[in-house]
């Protein structure tokens, strides 16, 4: 069996699965540990225990409410409608889910609502925008990020959505697809035209408190990517017509599900991982 230097392997394991601990012993003090089949099985059980829920993504639908894509990693993902559109609330724009799995949306009135995913009852949290909110996401500390359709991204602290302060101004263009974390990087779908078209993927380096440090433009992703979501370490994009997976390392993409309904009233917009 291939030998792995114990100190490096142990560090990487705890870095990736910070809530889990698996201890091994270097019995002969040579700095090397041979991982056995038994070790592998125990690690897999730990992983499955921590991530036993199915990967799912919420999507807002133009005049169609909110849906959830289930069985995301299977060959046959399915769609479940969570909250249908109503006469009084015909349109949800953006959607975000925090670490407590609480769901938040924005609407044409430029209000952020908390939505009960069972009853669909809405609670207004704040009116925070002079323009339609084009992107909305939480980081891992439950800080809430938004863009009002300019190059400036603002952030509010968890549970204080009345006080958004500037986070970073990217200079030109505007976020069209959220501010989602995959591993230690934040990803944003960036647009240049309000009427759709080209989208680039920005990779943002942040510090431990998710303050902006720097960013790079990785290049073009699929046109009209108006939503981004992360789920179990994978990055997904949403266009009007499809949900697709993005590999940030090489920008390769894979269609997960196509929109089965009719345009334009059923176009897909915002996205959030559960």
């Amino acid at each position: 069996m291939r030998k792995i230097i114990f100190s490096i392997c142990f560090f990487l394991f705890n870095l990736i699965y910070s809530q889990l601990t698996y201890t091994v012993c270097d019995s002969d003090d040579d700095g090397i540990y041979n991982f056995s089949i038994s070790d592998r099985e125990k690690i897999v059980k730990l992983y499955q225990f921590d991530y036993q829920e199915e990967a799912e993504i919420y999507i807002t639908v133009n005049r169609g409410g909110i849906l959830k894509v289930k069985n995301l990693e299977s060959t046959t993902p399915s769609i479940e409608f969570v909250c249908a559109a109503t006469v009084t609330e015909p349109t949800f724009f953006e959607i975000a889910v925090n670490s407590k799995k609480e769901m938040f949306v924005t609407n044409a009135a430029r209000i952020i609502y908390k939505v009960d995913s069972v009853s669909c009852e809405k609670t207004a949290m704040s009116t925070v925008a002079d323009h339609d909110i084009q992107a909305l996401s939480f980081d891992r500390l439950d800080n809430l990020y938004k863009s009002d359709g300019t190059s400036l991204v603002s952030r509010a602290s968890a549970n204080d959505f009345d006080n958004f302060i500037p986070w970073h101004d990217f200079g030109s263009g505007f976020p069209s697809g959220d501010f989602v974390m995959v591993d230690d990087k934040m990803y944003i779908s960036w647009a240049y035209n309000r009427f759709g078209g080209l989208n680039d993927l920005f990779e943002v380096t942040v510090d431990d408190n998710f303050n902006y440090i720097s960013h790079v433009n990785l290049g073009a992703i699929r046109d009209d990517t108006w939503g981004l979501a992360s789920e179990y370490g994978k990055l997904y994009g949403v266009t009007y017509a499809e949900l697709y997976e993005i590999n940030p390392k090489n920008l390769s993409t894979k269609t997960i599900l196509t929109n089965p309904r009719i345009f334009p009233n059923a176009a897909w917009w915002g996205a959030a991982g559960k």
Side-chain angles (χ1 to χ4, degrees), residues 54-57 72-73 229-236 273-274:
E54 280 287 342
E56 298 175 345
I57 285 180
L72 194 64
E73 296 182 333
S230 62
E231 185 76 334
Y232 291 166
K234 292 185 178 181
L235 181 65
Y236 298 89
K274 180 188 69 174

Side-chain angles (χ1 to χ4, degrees), residues 12-33:
L12 288 176
F13 183 80
N14 280 277
L15 177 67
I16 297 171
Y17 307 110
S18 59
Q19 302 302 314
L20 307 176
T21 301
Y22 184 70
T23 304
V24 296
C25 179
D26 176 19
S27 58
D28 57 5
D29 296 322
D30 64 351
I32 295 174
Y33 181 80

Side-chain angles (χ1 to χ4, degrees), residues 10-82:
F10 185 77
F11 170 76
L12 288 176
F13 183 80
N14 280 277
L15 177 67
I16 297 171
Y17 307 110
S18 59
Q19 302 302 314
L20 307 176
T21 301
Y22 184 70
T23 304
V24 296
C25 179
D26 176 19
S27 58
D28 57 5
D29 296 322
D30 64 351
I32 295 174
Y33 181 80
N34 291 318
F35 279 86
S36 66
I37 293 176
S38 176
D39 287 321
R40 179 184 180 280
E41 290 174 348
K42 291 175 182 177
I43 292 169
V44 167
K45 285 181 180 179
L46 283 173
Y47 173 84
Q48 290 175 337
F49 177 80
D50 195 45
Y51 295 105
Q52 58 187 318
E53 295 187 29
E54 280 287 342
E56 298 175 345
I57 285 180
Y58 291 100
I59 298 176
T60 51
V61 185
N62 180 20
R63 300 194 178 279
I66 302 168
L67 60 82
K68 179 167 61 178
V69 178
K70 302 176 67 176
N71 307 313
L72 194 64
E73 296 182 333
S74 74
T75 56
T76 56
S78 59
I79 293 175
E80 173 187 309
F81 278 90
V82 177

Side-chain angles (χ1 to χ4, degrees), residues 139-141 143 145 155 167 181 183-186 204-214:
D139 63 26
R140 290 169 182 155
L141 298 178
N143 300 310
Y145 298 74
R155 181 174 74 179
W167 179 71
M181 297 297 301
D183 296 329
D184 62 342
K185 300 292 185 181
M186 178 182 286
V204 184
T205 299
V206 294
D207 64 18
D208 291 342
N209 294 313
F210 298 96
N211 297 310
Y212 173 92
I213 295 177
S214 64

Side-chain angles (χ1 to χ4, degrees), residues 10-233:
F10 185 77
F11 170 76
L12 288 176
F13 183 80
N14 280 277
L15 177 67
I16 297 171
Y17 307 110
S18 59
Q19 302 302 314
L20 307 176
T21 301
Y22 184 70
T23 304
V24 296
C25 179
D26 176 19
S27 58
D28 57 5
D29 296 322
D30 64 351
I32 295 174
Y33 181 80
N34 291 318
F35 279 86
S36 66
I37 293 176
S38 176
D39 287 321
R40 179 184 180 280
E41 290 174 348
K42 291 175 182 177
I43 292 169
V44 167
K45 285 181 180 179
L46 283 173
Y47 173 84
Q48 290 175 337
F49 177 80
D50 195 45
Y51 295 105
Q52 58 187 318
E53 295 187 29
E54 280 287 342
E56 298 175 345
I57 285 180
Y58 291 100
I59 298 176
T60 51
V61 185
N62 180 20
R63 300 194 178 279
I66 302 168
L67 60 82
K68 179 167 61 178
V69 178
K70 302 176 67 176
N71 307 313
L72 194 64
E73 296 182 333
S74 74
T75 56
T76 56
S78 59
I79 293 175
E80 173 187 309
F81 278 90
V82 177
C83 295
T86 65
V87 174
T88 58
E89 191 58 70
T91 302
F92 293 128
F93 286 164
E94 297 299 327
I95 185 167
V97 177
N98 65 13
S99 65
K100 300 175 183 178
K101 300 181 183 177
E102 297 171 325
M103 185 167 61
F104 296 79
V105 299
T106 66
N107 71 349
R110 301 162 185 169
I111 296 173
I112 295 177
Y113 286 104
K114 182 179 178 181
V115 179
D116 187 300
S117 61
V118 177
S119 68
C120 296
E121 181 179 347
K122 302 186 303 299
T123 303
M125 304 302 293
S126 64
T127 304
V128 295
D130 296 325
H131 305 283
D132 294 337
I133 296 177
Q134 299 293 325
L136 190 75
S137 287
F138 289 97
D139 63 26
R140 290 169 182 155
L141 298 178
D142 283 344
N143 300 310
L144 183 61
Y145 298 74
K146 74 174 180 72
S147 164
D148 299 343
T150 70
S151 59
L152 175 64
V153 176
S154 299
R155 181 174 74 179
S157 299
N159 303 316
D160 186 14
F161 300 158
D162 288 319
N163 295 295
F164 280 84
I165 61 174
W167 179 71
H168 183 70
D169 192 334
F170 289 83
S172 62
F174 61 95
S176 63
D178 305 325
F179 320 93
V180 301
M181 297 297 301
V182 177
D183 296 329
D184 62 342
K185 300 292 185 181
M186 178 182 286
Y187 293 93
I188 311 172
S189 176
W190 203 258
Y192 305 91
N193 190 325
R194 293 181 182 276
F195 298 100
L198 176 67
N199 287 102
D200 288 336
L201 184 65
F202 283 11
E203 182 180 78
V204 184
T205 299
V206 294
D207 64 18
D208 291 342
N209 294 313
F210 298 96
N211 297 310
Y212 173 92
I213 295 177
S214 64
H215 78 279
V216 294
N217 184 344
L218 297 180
I221 51 177
R222 297 190 185 183
D223 290 356
D224 299 318
T225 297
W226 296 101
L228 281 187
S230 62
E231 185 76 334
Y232 291 166

